[in-house]
Amino acid sequence: MARRAPRGTQDIFPEQAAAWQHLEKTAREVFELYGYGELRTPMFEKAELFIKTTGETTDIVEKEMYTFSKGRGQYALRPEATPAVVRAYLNQRLDRSAPFQKLYYIGPMFRHERPQKGRTRQFSQLGVEVLGSYSPLVDVEVISLGIHLLKAVGLEKTAVRVNTLGCAECRPGYRDALKGYFAERLEGLCDDCRRRLDRNVFRVLDCKVPTCREMLADAPRADQHQCDNCRKHFETVTATLDRLECAVEVDHSLVRGLDYYTRTVFEYVHGSLGAQDAVGGGGRYDNLIENSGGKPQGAAGFAMGMERILIASGAGEDEAALRPVACVVAVDDDCREYALATADRLRKAGISADLDFEGRSIKSQMKRANRVGAPLVVIVGPDEKDDQEATLKNMDTGEEQTLSLDKLPGAISNSPIIQTKETR
Ligand code: HAM
């Protein structure tokens, strides 16, 4: 039997899960603070959805999608959520009935990439999408929300890069300028980029091959070809971010590896991550809803990689997250069932309690209580069992007190040690 998880995936054990739960909880709080509601979409969609929206010539669709067929359908594990959010929005006809929506999602995505630090084949994203507005203030809200979230999880030092890619009006002129520039330098382009030249020249800007990258320094830039509306939009975005004291850096070389972006694009980058330094990224996608068959509606959003946030914030293992308030210790084998009944009583009163199931001696049960850091131990022996009682021991002071089972939960809740120790 294969014991290893598939390459590029991981098992998350309880000690690590605590950091994941904390991140999810913080993200939900921040998203809700800004008025976003959760949308849960399926883990797989028709493959065609991503081919048509993420883009046929993108790495994600060309190389990385996990596709499978069942019956007559061709499906893909979702490599990203934005197309799925738009699909769900159109499925509910929200473009007509309630076009303005602020949604968030948290969940796993799948891309067949070469695994390395911060890059896995199953990874999780936290994301937001605002649908139904062309306002540059939406871009600002989305970008600043991301900064707020990263600060809330301890990533104060994340840099934010922003750029503008133009719209349907000014992009054709930019496309022609790029084509002209690269056509004169064909010999320096990699094979992929030569193909991309005709299919989608913008992809060349995203190429990682060094000889292609060298050419980018002098390549035409989107801002040199943008129309007045795009210029005004971007000026409002940067000026308002400034007013909100969100430090961002305009980076005209920033292009994102997905096809649907228009106007503002941005990335959150963190130095500690090495080659995969983007903790998140996003942008505006004003044509996606219309191109997917809906009424024209502007939209913008971002997604962040949870693994990368956890790496950058140095989240480690947290044993304390599993620390019970009380360990119930059975004095001998005849008391084990009574010990479980005692723990049950505590749990039903909302007090976390744990006990031994391995037939350990009283000494090793006490040692274990010490090791897990339980502030209280509840000892049950033959006398306690006969009298429906238990002996409560304070692990700090060593103080002991025998109580009826009925009074035990109240005594624990009122114990000063519970008020002072951080326990669950
Ligand atoms: P993306 O840039 O492809 O954008 O992914 C967003 C983030 O997901 C990345 O910055 C990174 O942190 C994380 N990520 C991506 N691939 C991997 C991987 N293989 N392993 C670990 N983490 C990864 C999108 O997905 C867009 N849907 C964002 C968006 C939302 N744009 C508008 N709305």
Side-chain angles (χ1 to χ4, degrees), residues 28 31-32 36-42 45 78 81-90 92 94 101-107 109 127-129 131:
R28 284 178 201 284
F31 292 154
E32 284 162 21
Y36 290 65
E38 185 176 6
L39 174 70
R40 299 187 189 205
T41 63
E45 297 275 351
R78 59 180 185 189
T82 309
V85 171
V86 169
R87 183 208 42 73
Y89 174 84
L90 293 176
Q92 288 295 310
L94 294 174
Q101 294 287 331
K102 302 208 312 188
L103 302 166
Y104 79 82
Y105 48 86
I106 300 177
M109 310 289 155
V128 299
E129 311 291 350
L131 306 132

PDB file of all heavy atoms in Angstrom, residues 28 31-32 36-42 45 78 81-90 92 94 101-107 109 127-129 131:
ATOM      1  N   ARG A  28     -11.866  34.938   8.014  1.00  0.00           N
ATOM      2  CA  ARG A  28     -13.334  35.112   8.039  1.00  0.00           C
ATOM      3  C   ARG A  28     -13.706  36.401   8.764  1.00  0.00           C
ATOM      4  O   ARG A  28     -14.587  37.139   8.333  1.00  0.00           O
ATOM      5  CB  ARG A  28     -14.011  33.937   8.757  1.00  0.00           C
ATOM      6  CG  ARG A  28     -14.075  32.705   7.930  1.00  0.00           C
ATOM      7  CD  ARG A  28     -14.705  31.550   8.719  1.00  0.00           C
ATOM      8  NE  ARG A  28     -14.320  30.300   8.105  1.00  0.00           N
ATOM      9  CZ  ARG A  28     -14.827  29.820   6.988  1.00  0.00           C
ATOM     10  NH1 ARG A  28     -15.798  30.469   6.388  1.00  0.00           N
ATOM     11  NH2 ARG A  28     -14.403  28.694   6.472  1.00  0.00           N
ATOM     12  N   PHE A  31     -12.826  39.354   6.456  1.00  0.00           N
ATOM     13  CA  PHE A  31     -13.732  39.423   5.300  1.00  0.00           C
ATOM     14  C   PHE A  31     -15.099  39.946   5.737  1.00  0.00           C
ATOM     15  O   PHE A  31     -15.712  40.778   5.073  1.00  0.00           O
ATOM     16  CB  PHE A  31     -13.910  38.039   4.658  1.00  0.00           C
ATOM     17  CG  PHE A  31     -12.666  37.498   3.982  1.00  0.00           C
ATOM     18  CD1 PHE A  31     -12.467  36.124   3.842  1.00  0.00           C
ATOM     19  CD2 PHE A  31     -11.693  38.351   3.480  1.00  0.00           C
ATOM     20  CE1 PHE A  31     -11.331  35.618   3.217  1.00  0.00           C
ATOM     21  CE2 PHE A  31     -10.544  37.848   2.857  1.00  0.00           C
ATOM     22  CZ  PHE A  31     -10.369  36.481   2.730  1.00  0.00           C
ATOM     23  N   GLU A  32     -15.562  39.448   6.864  1.00  0.00           N
ATOM     24  CA  GLU A  32     -16.899  39.852   7.313  1.00  0.00           C
ATOM     25  C   GLU A  32     -16.909  41.296   7.806  1.00  0.00           C
ATOM     26  O   GLU A  32     -17.894  42.006   7.651  1.00  0.00           O
ATOM     27  CB  GLU A  32     -17.454  38.817   8.304  1.00  0.00           C
ATOM     28  CG  GLU A  32     -17.902  37.571   7.499  1.00  0.00           C
ATOM     29  CD  GLU A  32     -18.089  36.275   8.282  1.00  0.00           C
ATOM     30  OE1 GLU A  32     -18.273  36.356   9.501  1.00  0.00           O
ATOM     31  OE2 GLU A  32     -18.048  35.201   7.651  1.00  0.00           O
ATOM     32  N   TYR A  36     -18.144  41.008   3.353  1.00  0.00           N
ATOM     33  CA  TYR A  36     -18.139  39.941   2.346  1.00  0.00           C
ATOM     34  C   TYR A  36     -18.810  38.693   2.918  1.00  0.00           C
ATOM     35  O   TYR A  36     -18.633  38.376   4.090  1.00  0.00           O
ATOM     36  CB  TYR A  36     -16.692  39.594   1.922  1.00  0.00           C
ATOM     37  CG  TYR A  36     -16.038  40.692   1.107  1.00  0.00           C
ATOM     38  CD1 TYR A  36     -15.768  41.936   1.675  1.00  0.00           C
ATOM     39  CD2 TYR A  36     -15.720  40.502  -0.227  1.00  0.00           C
ATOM     40  CE1 TYR A  36     -15.198  42.952   0.933  1.00  0.00           C
ATOM     41  CE2 TYR A  36     -15.136  41.519  -0.974  1.00  0.00           C
ATOM     42  CZ  TYR A  36     -14.885  42.739  -0.386  1.00  0.00           C
ATOM     43  OH  TYR A  36     -14.320  43.750  -1.127  1.00  0.00           O
ATOM     44  N   GLY A  37     -19.574  37.990   2.082  1.00  0.00           N
ATOM     45  CA  GLY A  37     -20.243  36.761   2.516  1.00  0.00           C
ATOM     46  C   GLY A  37     -19.589  35.568   1.835  1.00  0.00           C
ATOM     47  O   GLY A  37     -19.065  35.678   0.723  1.00  0.00           O
ATOM     48  N   GLU A  38     -19.632  34.424   2.501  1.00  0.00           N
ATOM     49  CA  GLU A  38     -18.928  33.250   1.966  1.00  0.00           C
ATOM     50  C   GLU A  38     -19.692  32.561   0.842  1.00  0.00           C
ATOM     51  O   GLU A  38     -20.901  32.343   0.933  1.00  0.00           O
ATOM     52  CB  GLU A  38     -18.674  32.232   3.086  1.00  0.00           C
ATOM     53  CG  GLU A  38     -17.841  31.046   2.588  1.00  0.00           C
ATOM     54  CD  GLU A  38     -17.477  30.049   3.670  1.00  0.00           C
ATOM     55  OE1 GLU A  38     -17.966  30.193   4.810  1.00  0.00           O
ATOM     56  OE2 GLU A  38     -16.707  29.130   3.365  1.00  0.00           O
ATOM     57  N   LEU A  39     -18.968  32.206  -0.201  1.00  0.00           N
ATOM     58  CA  LEU A  39     -19.527  31.389  -1.289  1.00  0.00           C
ATOM     59  C   LEU A  39     -18.713  30.095  -1.346  1.00  0.00           C
ATOM     60  O   LEU A  39     -17.481  30.133  -1.375  1.00  0.00           O
ATOM     61  CB  LEU A  39     -19.410  32.133  -2.630  1.00  0.00           C
ATOM     62  CG  LEU A  39     -19.836  31.320  -3.863  1.00  0.00           C
ATOM     63  CD1 LEU A  39     -21.346  31.090  -3.868  1.00  0.00           C
ATOM     64  CD2 LEU A  39     -19.419  32.010  -5.158  1.00  0.00           C
ATOM     65  N   ARG A  40     -19.397  28.970  -1.354  1.00  0.00           N
ATOM     66  CA  ARG A  40     -18.699  27.682  -1.494  1.00  0.00           C
ATOM     67  C   ARG A  40     -19.069  27.092  -2.839  1.00  0.00           C
ATOM     68  O   ARG A  40     -20.258  26.863  -3.089  1.00  0.00           O
ATOM     69  CB  ARG A  40     -19.100  26.726  -0.379  1.00  0.00           C
ATOM     70  CG  ARG A  40     -18.746  27.260   0.989  1.00  0.00           C
ATOM     71  CD  ARG A  40     -18.997  26.242   2.065  1.00  0.00           C
ATOM     72  NE  ARG A  40     -18.835  26.866   3.368  1.00  0.00           N
ATOM     73  CZ  ARG A  40     -18.522  26.203   4.469  1.00  0.00           C
ATOM     74  NH1 ARG A  40     -18.354  24.914   4.429  1.00  0.00           N
ATOM     75  NH2 ARG A  40     -18.400  26.846   5.617  1.00  0.00           N
ATOM     76  N   THR A  41     -18.102  26.867  -3.682  1.00  0.00           N
ATOM     77  CA  THR A  41     -18.374  26.279  -4.997  1.00  0.00           C
ATOM     78  C   THR A  41     -17.751  24.887  -5.034  1.00  0.00           C
ATOM     79  O   THR A  41     -16.921  24.559  -4.185  1.00  0.00           O
ATOM     80  CB  THR A  41     -17.788  27.153  -6.136  1.00  0.00           C
ATOM     81  OG1 THR A  41     -16.373  27.197  -5.988  1.00  0.00           O
ATOM     82  CG2 THR A  41     -18.366  28.555  -6.129  1.00  0.00           C
ATOM     83  N   PRO A  42     -18.137  24.068  -6.030  1.00  0.00           N
ATOM     84  CA  PRO A  42     -17.595  22.697  -6.062  1.00  0.00           C
ATOM     85  C   PRO A  42     -16.091  22.664  -6.268  1.00  0.00           C
ATOM     86  O   PRO A  42     -15.500  23.614  -6.783  1.00  0.00           O
ATOM     87  CB  PRO A  42     -18.287  22.081  -7.289  1.00  0.00           C
ATOM     88  CG  PRO A  42     -19.429  22.968  -7.603  1.00  0.00           C
ATOM     89  CD  PRO A  42     -19.091  24.325  -7.105  1.00  0.00           C
ATOM     90  N   GLU A  45     -15.110  21.443 -11.713  1.00  0.00           N
ATOM     91  CA  GLU A  45     -16.022  22.135 -12.636  1.00  0.00           C
ATOM     92  C   GLU A  45     -15.821  21.514 -14.007  1.00  0.00           C
ATOM     93  O   GLU A  45     -14.874  20.738 -14.212  1.00  0.00           O
ATOM     94  CB  GLU A  45     -15.650  23.632 -12.728  1.00  0.00           C
ATOM     95  CG  GLU A  45     -15.781  24.419 -11.439  1.00  0.00           C
ATOM     96  CD  GLU A  45     -17.194  24.946 -11.193  1.00  0.00           C
ATOM     97  OE1 GLU A  45     -18.055  24.861 -12.102  1.00  0.00           O
ATOM     98  OE2 GLU A  45     -17.432  25.453 -10.074  1.00  0.00           O
ATOM     99  N   ARG A  78     -10.567  22.278  -9.642  1.00  0.00           N
ATOM    100  CA  ARG A  78     -10.409  23.718  -9.854  1.00  0.00           C
ATOM    101  C   ARG A  78      -8.968  24.184  -9.593  1.00  0.00           C
ATOM    102  O   ARG A  78      -8.429  23.927  -8.521  1.00  0.00           O
ATOM    103  CB  ARG A  78     -11.390  24.503  -8.976  1.00  0.00           C
ATOM    104  CG  ARG A  78     -11.195  24.233  -7.507  1.00  0.00           C
ATOM    105  CD  ARG A  78     -12.177  25.016  -6.661  1.00  0.00           C
ATOM    106  NE  ARG A  78     -11.857  24.812  -5.254  1.00  0.00           N
ATOM    107  CZ  ARG A  78     -12.602  25.206  -4.248  1.00  0.00           C
ATOM    108  NH1 ARG A  78     -13.744  25.832  -4.460  1.00  0.00           N
ATOM    109  NH2 ARG A  78     -12.233  24.995  -3.001  1.00  0.00           N
ATOM    110  N   ALA A  81     -10.388  29.865  -8.245  1.00  0.00           N
ATOM    111  CA  ALA A  81     -11.823  29.941  -7.964  1.00  0.00           C
ATOM    112  C   ALA A  81     -12.559  31.050  -8.726  1.00  0.00           C
ATOM    113  O   ALA A  81     -13.788  31.007  -8.824  1.00  0.00           O
ATOM    114  CB  ALA A  81     -12.033  30.124  -6.463  1.00  0.00           C
ATOM    115  N   THR A  82     -11.825  32.016  -9.263  1.00  0.00           N
ATOM    116  CA  THR A  82     -12.510  33.163  -9.876  1.00  0.00           C
ATOM    117  C   THR A  82     -13.522  32.729 -10.964  1.00  0.00           C
ATOM    118  O   THR A  82     -14.677  33.179 -10.923  1.00  0.00           O
ATOM    119  CB  THR A  82     -11.475  34.165 -10.435  1.00  0.00           C
ATOM    120  OG1 THR A  82     -10.535  34.432  -9.391  1.00  0.00           O
ATOM    121  CG2 THR A  82     -12.128  35.463 -10.874  1.00  0.00           C
ATOM    122  N   PRO A  83     -13.150  31.863 -11.917  1.00  0.00           N
ATOM    123  CA  PRO A  83     -14.121  31.458 -12.919  1.00  0.00           C
ATOM    124  C   PRO A  83     -15.343  30.767 -12.304  1.00  0.00           C
ATOM    125  O   PRO A  83     -16.471  30.936 -12.794  1.00  0.00           O
ATOM    126  CB  PRO A  83     -13.351  30.486 -13.815  1.00  0.00           C
ATOM    127  CG  PRO A  83     -11.923  30.868 -13.622  1.00  0.00           C
ATOM    128  CD  PRO A  83     -11.820  31.278 -12.175  1.00  0.00           C
ATOM    129  N   ALA A  84     -15.111  30.003 -11.236  1.00  0.00           N
ATOM    130  CA  ALA A  84     -16.217  29.290 -10.589  1.00  0.00           C
ATOM    131  C   ALA A  84     -17.164  30.278  -9.898  1.00  0.00           C
ATOM    132  O   ALA A  84     -18.381  30.089  -9.901  1.00  0.00           O
ATOM    133  CB  ALA A  84     -15.666  28.283  -9.588  1.00  0.00           C
ATOM    134  N   VAL A  85     -16.596  31.331  -9.310  1.00  0.00           N
ATOM    135  CA  VAL A  85     -17.436  32.345  -8.653  1.00  0.00           C
ATOM    136  C   VAL A  85     -18.312  33.031  -9.705  1.00  0.00           C
ATOM    137  O   VAL A  85     -19.521  33.205  -9.515  1.00  0.00           O
ATOM    138  CB  VAL A  85     -16.558  33.382  -7.898  1.00  0.00           C
ATOM    139  CG1 VAL A  85     -17.394  34.547  -7.399  1.00  0.00           C
ATOM    140  CG2 VAL A  85     -15.826  32.715  -6.741  1.00  0.00           C
ATOM    141  N   VAL A  86     -17.724  33.356 -10.841  1.00  0.00           N
ATOM    142  CA  VAL A  86     -18.491  34.003 -11.913  1.00  0.00           C
ATOM    143  C   VAL A  86     -19.563  33.042 -12.441  1.00  0.00           C
ATOM    144  O   VAL A  86     -20.707  33.426 -12.677  1.00  0.00           O
ATOM    145  CB  VAL A  86     -17.546  34.483 -13.048  1.00  0.00           C
ATOM    146  CG1 VAL A  86     -18.320  34.913 -14.276  1.00  0.00           C
ATOM    147  CG2 VAL A  86     -16.671  35.619 -12.538  1.00  0.00           C
ATOM    148  N   ARG A  87     -19.203  31.785 -12.577  1.00  0.00           N
ATOM    149  CA  ARG A  87     -20.185  30.808 -13.044  1.00  0.00           C
ATOM    150  C   ARG A  87     -21.366  30.719 -12.076  1.00  0.00           C
ATOM    151  O   ARG A  87     -22.526  30.741 -12.495  1.00  0.00           O
ATOM    152  CB  ARG A  87     -19.530  29.421 -13.213  1.00  0.00           C
ATOM    153  CG  ARG A  87     -20.489  28.414 -13.750  1.00  0.00           C
ATOM    154  CD  ARG A  87     -20.239  26.969 -13.357  1.00  0.00           C
ATOM    155  NE  ARG A  87     -19.851  26.694 -11.986  1.00  0.00           N
ATOM    156  CZ  ARG A  87     -20.657  26.752 -10.920  1.00  0.00           C
ATOM    157  NH1 ARG A  87     -21.929  27.118 -11.047  1.00  0.00           N
ATOM    158  NH2 ARG A  87     -20.195  26.475  -9.719  1.00  0.00           N
ATOM    159  N   ALA A  88     -21.068  30.666 -10.776  1.00  0.00           N
ATOM    160  CA  ALA A  88     -22.140  30.559  -9.772  1.00  0.00           C
ATOM    161  C   ALA A  88     -23.024  31.815  -9.811  1.00  0.00           C
ATOM    162  O   ALA A  88     -24.256  31.735  -9.713  1.00  0.00           O
ATOM    163  CB  ALA A  88     -21.533  30.372  -8.386  1.00  0.00           C
ATOM    164  N   TYR A  89     -22.387  32.949  -9.978  1.00  0.00           N
ATOM    165  CA  TYR A  89     -23.086  34.252 -10.043  1.00  0.00           C
ATOM    166  C   TYR A  89     -24.048  34.255 -11.234  1.00  0.00           C
ATOM    167  O   TYR A  89     -25.218  34.636 -11.125  1.00  0.00           O
ATOM    168  CB  TYR A  89     -21.994  35.301 -10.184  1.00  0.00           C
ATOM    169  CG  TYR A  89     -22.352  36.745 -10.406  1.00  0.00           C
ATOM    170  CD1 TYR A  89     -22.664  37.580  -9.334  1.00  0.00           C
ATOM    171  CD2 TYR A  89     -22.289  37.308 -11.686  1.00  0.00           C
ATOM    172  CE1 TYR A  89     -22.916  38.932  -9.535  1.00  0.00           C
ATOM    173  CE2 TYR A  89     -22.541  38.649 -11.894  1.00  0.00           C
ATOM    174  CZ  TYR A  89     -22.848  39.462 -10.805  1.00  0.00           C
ATOM    175  OH  TYR A  89     -23.087  40.807 -11.013  1.00  0.00           O
ATOM    176  N   LEU A  90     -23.558  33.755 -12.371  1.00  0.00           N
ATOM    177  CA  LEU A  90     -24.410  33.729 -13.566  1.00  0.00           C
ATOM    178  C   LEU A  90     -25.477  32.645 -13.458  1.00  0.00           C
ATOM    179  O   LEU A  90     -26.598  32.819 -13.931  1.00  0.00           O
ATOM    180  CB  LEU A  90     -23.556  33.511 -14.821  1.00  0.00           C
ATOM    181  CG  LEU A  90     -22.620  34.680 -15.148  1.00  0.00           C
ATOM    182  CD1 LEU A  90     -21.744  34.354 -16.351  1.00  0.00           C
ATOM    183  CD2 LEU A  90     -23.413  35.959 -15.405  1.00  0.00           C
ATOM    184  N   GLN A  92     -27.067  31.832 -10.900  1.00  0.00           N
ATOM    185  CA  GLN A  92     -28.167  32.398 -10.097  1.00  0.00           C
ATOM    186  C   GLN A  92     -28.757  33.639 -10.763  1.00  0.00           C
ATOM    187  O   GLN A  92     -29.585  34.314 -10.166  1.00  0.00           O
ATOM    188  CB  GLN A  92     -27.644  32.812  -8.715  1.00  0.00           C
ATOM    189  CG  GLN A  92     -27.309  31.667  -7.793  1.00  0.00           C
ATOM    190  CD  GLN A  92     -28.524  30.857  -7.420  1.00  0.00           C
ATOM    191  OE1 GLN A  92     -29.549  31.387  -7.010  1.00  0.00           O
ATOM    192  NE2 GLN A  92     -28.445  29.549  -7.579  1.00  0.00           N
ATOM    193  N   LEU A  94     -27.529  36.477 -11.006  1.00  0.00           N
ATOM    194  CA  LEU A  94     -27.333  37.656 -10.157  1.00  0.00           C
ATOM    195  C   LEU A  94     -26.919  38.878 -10.975  1.00  0.00           C
ATOM    196  O   LEU A  94     -27.132  40.006 -10.550  1.00  0.00           O
ATOM    197  CB  LEU A  94     -26.276  37.366  -9.080  1.00  0.00           C
ATOM    198  CG  LEU A  94     -26.681  36.312  -8.053  1.00  0.00           C
ATOM    199  CD1 LEU A  94     -25.528  35.985  -7.117  1.00  0.00           C
ATOM    200  CD2 LEU A  94     -27.871  36.807  -7.243  1.00  0.00           C
ATOM    201  N   GLN A 101     -22.240  42.163  -5.719  1.00  0.00           N
ATOM    202  CA  GLN A 101     -22.013  41.082  -4.747  1.00  0.00           C
ATOM    203  C   GLN A 101     -20.591  41.159  -4.220  1.00  0.00           C
ATOM    204  O   GLN A 101     -19.655  41.371  -4.990  1.00  0.00           O
ATOM    205  CB  GLN A 101     -22.178  39.721  -5.433  1.00  0.00           C
ATOM    206  CG  GLN A 101     -23.576  39.416  -5.921  1.00  0.00           C
ATOM    207  CD  GLN A 101     -24.536  39.097  -4.788  1.00  0.00           C
ATOM    208  OE1 GLN A 101     -24.140  38.588  -3.743  1.00  0.00           O
ATOM    209  NE2 GLN A 101     -25.809  39.409  -4.995  1.00  0.00           N
ATOM    210  N   LYS A 102     -20.460  40.957  -2.903  1.00  0.00           N
ATOM    211  CA  LYS A 102     -19.120  40.877  -2.304  1.00  0.00           C
ATOM    212  C   LYS A 102     -18.992  39.489  -1.680  1.00  0.00           C
ATOM    213  O   LYS A 102     -19.677  39.185  -0.708  1.00  0.00           O
ATOM    214  CB  LYS A 102     -18.937  41.959  -1.235  1.00  0.00           C
ATOM    215  CG  LYS A 102     -19.149  43.357  -1.800  1.00  0.00           C
ATOM    216  CD  LYS A 102     -18.398  44.459  -1.102  1.00  0.00           C
ATOM    217  CE  LYS A 102     -18.456  44.533   0.363  1.00  0.00           C
ATOM    218  NZ  LYS A 102     -17.830  45.774   0.873  1.00  0.00           N
ATOM    219  N   LEU A 103     -18.147  38.657  -2.274  1.00  0.00           N
ATOM    220  CA  LEU A 103     -18.077  37.252  -1.871  1.00  0.00           C
ATOM    221  C   LEU A 103     -16.655  36.861  -1.474  1.00  0.00           C
ATOM    222  O   LEU A 103     -15.695  37.433  -1.974  1.00  0.00           O
ATOM    223  CB  LEU A 103     -18.518  36.373  -3.052  1.00  0.00           C
ATOM    224  CG  LEU A 103     -19.938  36.665  -3.563  1.00  0.00           C
ATOM    225  CD1 LEU A 103     -20.177  36.012  -4.914  1.00  0.00           C
ATOM    226  CD2 LEU A 103     -20.989  36.208  -2.550  1.00  0.00           C
ATOM    227  N   TYR A 104     -16.573  35.886  -0.577  1.00  0.00           N
ATOM    228  CA  TYR A 104     -15.242  35.331  -0.267  1.00  0.00           C
ATOM    229  C   TYR A 104     -15.287  33.810  -0.279  1.00  0.00           C
ATOM    230  O   TYR A 104     -16.363  33.215  -0.198  1.00  0.00           O
ATOM    231  CB  TYR A 104     -14.708  35.869   1.068  1.00  0.00           C
ATOM    232  CG  TYR A 104     -15.243  35.251   2.337  1.00  0.00           C
ATOM    233  CD1 TYR A 104     -14.739  34.051   2.839  1.00  0.00           C
ATOM    234  CD2 TYR A 104     -16.247  35.884   3.082  1.00  0.00           C
ATOM    235  CE1 TYR A 104     -15.220  33.500   4.028  1.00  0.00           C
ATOM    236  CE2 TYR A 104     -16.732  35.348   4.267  1.00  0.00           C
ATOM    237  CZ  TYR A 104     -16.214  34.149   4.731  1.00  0.00           C
ATOM    238  OH  TYR A 104     -16.691  33.601   5.893  1.00  0.00           O
ATOM    239  N   TYR A 105     -14.119  33.213  -0.424  1.00  0.00           N
ATOM    240  CA  TYR A 105     -14.025  31.749  -0.413  1.00  0.00           C
ATOM    241  C   TYR A 105     -12.730  31.330   0.264  1.00  0.00           C
ATOM    242  O   TYR A 105     -11.752  32.079   0.299  1.00  0.00           O
ATOM    243  CB  TYR A 105     -14.085  31.164  -1.840  1.00  0.00           C
ATOM    244  CG  TYR A 105     -13.162  31.847  -2.822  1.00  0.00           C
ATOM    245  CD1 TYR A 105     -11.830  31.457  -2.964  1.00  0.00           C
ATOM    246  CD2 TYR A 105     -13.609  32.912  -3.592  1.00  0.00           C
ATOM    247  CE1 TYR A 105     -10.978  32.092  -3.854  1.00  0.00           C
ATOM    248  CE2 TYR A 105     -12.769  33.565  -4.482  1.00  0.00           C
ATOM    249  CZ  TYR A 105     -11.458  33.158  -4.604  1.00  0.00           C
ATOM    250  OH  TYR A 105     -10.611  33.812  -5.479  1.00  0.00           O
ATOM    251  N   ILE A 106     -12.774  30.120   0.798  1.00  0.00           N
ATOM    252  CA  ILE A 106     -11.590  29.523   1.421  1.00  0.00           C
ATOM    253  C   ILE A 106     -11.602  28.057   1.007  1.00  0.00           C
ATOM    254  O   ILE A 106     -12.611  27.384   1.217  1.00  0.00           O
ATOM    255  CB  ILE A 106     -11.668  29.602   2.967  1.00  0.00           C
ATOM    256  CG1 ILE A 106     -11.747  31.057   3.433  1.00  0.00           C
ATOM    257  CG2 ILE A 106     -10.471  28.895   3.610  1.00  0.00           C
ATOM    258  CD1 ILE A 106     -11.893  31.232   4.942  1.00  0.00           C
ATOM    259  N   GLY A 107     -10.517  27.581   0.415  1.00  0.00           N
ATOM    260  CA  GLY A 107     -10.540  26.153   0.077  1.00  0.00           C
ATOM    261  C   GLY A 107      -9.412  25.731  -0.823  1.00  0.00           C
ATOM    262  O   GLY A 107      -8.635  26.555  -1.306  1.00  0.00           O
ATOM    263  N   MET A 109      -7.215  24.265  -3.996  1.00  0.00           N
ATOM    264  CA  MET A 109      -7.110  24.400  -5.452  1.00  0.00           C
ATOM    265  C   MET A 109      -6.053  23.382  -5.897  1.00  0.00           C
ATOM    266  O   MET A 109      -5.241  22.937  -5.067  1.00  0.00           O
ATOM    267  CB  MET A 109      -6.646  25.806  -5.865  1.00  0.00           C
ATOM    268  CG  MET A 109      -7.411  26.938  -5.230  1.00  0.00           C
ATOM    269  SD  MET A 109      -9.086  27.107  -5.864  1.00  0.00           S
ATOM    270  CE  MET A 109      -9.874  27.914  -4.461  1.00  0.00           C
ATOM    271  N   GLY A 127      -9.819  33.920  -0.749  1.00  0.00           N
ATOM    272  CA  GLY A 127      -9.994  34.918  -1.808  1.00  0.00           C
ATOM    273  C   GLY A 127     -11.269  35.716  -1.669  1.00  0.00           C
ATOM    274  O   GLY A 127     -12.197  35.317  -0.945  1.00  0.00           O
ATOM    275  N   VAL A 128     -11.285  36.860  -2.328  1.00  0.00           N
ATOM    276  CA  VAL A 128     -12.513  37.671  -2.374  1.00  0.00           C
ATOM    277  C   VAL A 128     -12.784  38.070  -3.820  1.00  0.00           C
ATOM    278  O   VAL A 128     -11.853  38.204  -4.618  1.00  0.00           O
ATOM    279  CB  VAL A 128     -12.407  38.971  -1.526  1.00  0.00           C
ATOM    280  CG1 VAL A 128     -12.172  38.653  -0.076  1.00  0.00           C
ATOM    281  CG2 VAL A 128     -11.333  39.902  -2.045  1.00  0.00           C
ATOM    282  N   GLU A 129     -14.049  38.235  -4.142  1.00  0.00           N
ATOM    283  CA  GLU A 129     -14.426  38.739  -5.460  1.00  0.00           C
ATOM    284  C   GLU A 129     -15.560  39.742  -5.248  1.00  0.00           C
ATOM    285  O   GLU A 129     -16.513  39.463  -4.522  1.00  0.00           O
ATOM    286  CB  GLU A 129     -14.929  37.616  -6.387  1.00  0.00           C
ATOM    287  CG  GLU A 129     -14.048  36.366  -6.481  1.00  0.00           C
ATOM    288  CD  GLU A 129     -12.710  36.552  -7.189  1.00  0.00           C
ATOM    289  OE1 GLU A 129     -12.479  37.616  -7.810  1.00  0.00           O
ATOM    290  OE2 GLU A 129     -11.880  35.638  -7.090  1.00  0.00           O
ATOM    291  N   LEU A 131     -18.299  41.625  -7.481  1.00  0.00           N
ATOM    292  CA  LEU A 131     -18.871  41.589  -8.820  1.00  0.00           C
ATOM    293  C   LEU A 131     -19.920  42.685  -8.929  1.00  0.00           C
ATOM    294  O   LEU A 131     -20.655  42.949  -7.966  1.00  0.00           O
ATOM    295  CB  LEU A 131     -19.510  40.218  -9.057  1.00  0.00           C
ATOM    296  CG  LEU A 131     -18.536  39.059  -8.800  1.00  0.00           C
ATOM    297  CD1 LEU A 131     -19.162  37.998  -7.933  1.00  0.00           C
ATOM    298  CD2 LEU A 131     -18.039  38.472 -10.082  1.00  0.00           C
TER     299      LEU A 131
END
